Amino acid sequence: MILSRTSQYAVQALIYMATQPGATPVLNKDIAAELGVPAPYLAKILQSLAKGSLLFSFRGRLGGFCLREDGDKITLMQILLLTEGPAFTQSCLLGLKKCSDETACPLHFRWVPVKKKIIDLLQETTLEKLAKAVESGKYRLADVPGQLFEQIKV
């Protein structure tokens, strides 16, 4: 359950949006610049999150992206299922195509309880919790210096 670069960027971008005041649309290029990620790649990720009903997407001069719901209603699991796909929670740790109680890999029975705990953690972790942790200054978002969030505190 190692997260892909796509998932990492998606989570970072959503945390950034959750730290913005109100439901103000944010431009893809601004998010990419603040996070230090490639803008074209991030645009594709944000469009897929909009198709997955996590974001609103607005075109035009005053366009951009904003969260469809408050951060307390969006879980890390929702984000990862959109970016990693539904097999995210079902895949074998060793990468075998068939791994179940009947056809177990050598780690299956030790991995199942660990995987359940990880899934529970992802389901109870909200975007709001992550955003508050970053805004507190105790945690960083990507490799962005802490002064980024000093600029947006209202």
Side-chain angles (χ1 to χ4, degrees):
M1 290 173 111
I2 304 293
L3 298 184
S4 67
R5 178 83 49 179
T6 299
S7 292
Q8 292 170 14
Y9 288 169
V11 171
Q12 292 170 1
L14 291 172
I15 291 171
Y16 178 79
M17 283 187 245
T19 63
Q20 300 306 298
T24 308
V26 185
L27 295 173
N28 167 61
K29 67 176 183 151
D30 293 340
I31 299 169
E34 293 294 346
L35 299 177
V37 301
Y41 186 36
L42 184 62
K44 289 179 184 180
I45 295 168
L46 296 177
Q47 283 298 333
S48 71
L49 293 175
K51 287 178 186 169
S53 299
L54 286 184
L55 297 177
F56 284 118
S57 173
F58 303 100
R59 290 182 168 229
R61 193 171 60 88
L62 300 174
F65 295 91
C66 66
L67 298 175
R68 196 174 276 262
E69 297 185 278
D70 291 335
D72 64 336
K73 294 183 176 87
I74 299 172
T75 67
L76 198 48
M77 180 60 86
Q78 286 174 282
I79 301 165
L80 297 178
L81 286 174
L82 284 174
T83 57
E84 297 288 338
F88 170 64
T89 59
Q90 301 161 0
S91 57
C92 171
L93 183 64
L94 297 180
L96 300 179
K97 290 183 181 179
K98 291 209 173 211
C99 184
S100 64
D101 290 349
E102 295 80 32
T103 59
C105 76
L107 290 175
H108 179 77
F109 292 104
R110 294 181 67 192
W111 174 241
V112 168
V114 173
K115 182 165 75 171
K116 181 176 178 352
K117 286 182 181 181
I118 293 171
I119 290 170
D120 290 344
L121 173 73
L122 296 175
Q123 288 174 334
E124 68 187 34
T125 302
T126 64
L127 189 56
E128 180 182 55
K129 287 180 187 175
L130 295 172
K132 284 183 178 177
V134 171
E135 286 180 313
S136 75
K138 186 175 179 182
Y139 300 99
R140 290 177 48 185
L141 181 61
D143 291 324
V144 179
Q147 69 256 31
L148 164 67
F149 293 99
E150 293 172 5
Q151 297 169 3
I152 60 172
K153 289 189 179 174
V154 180

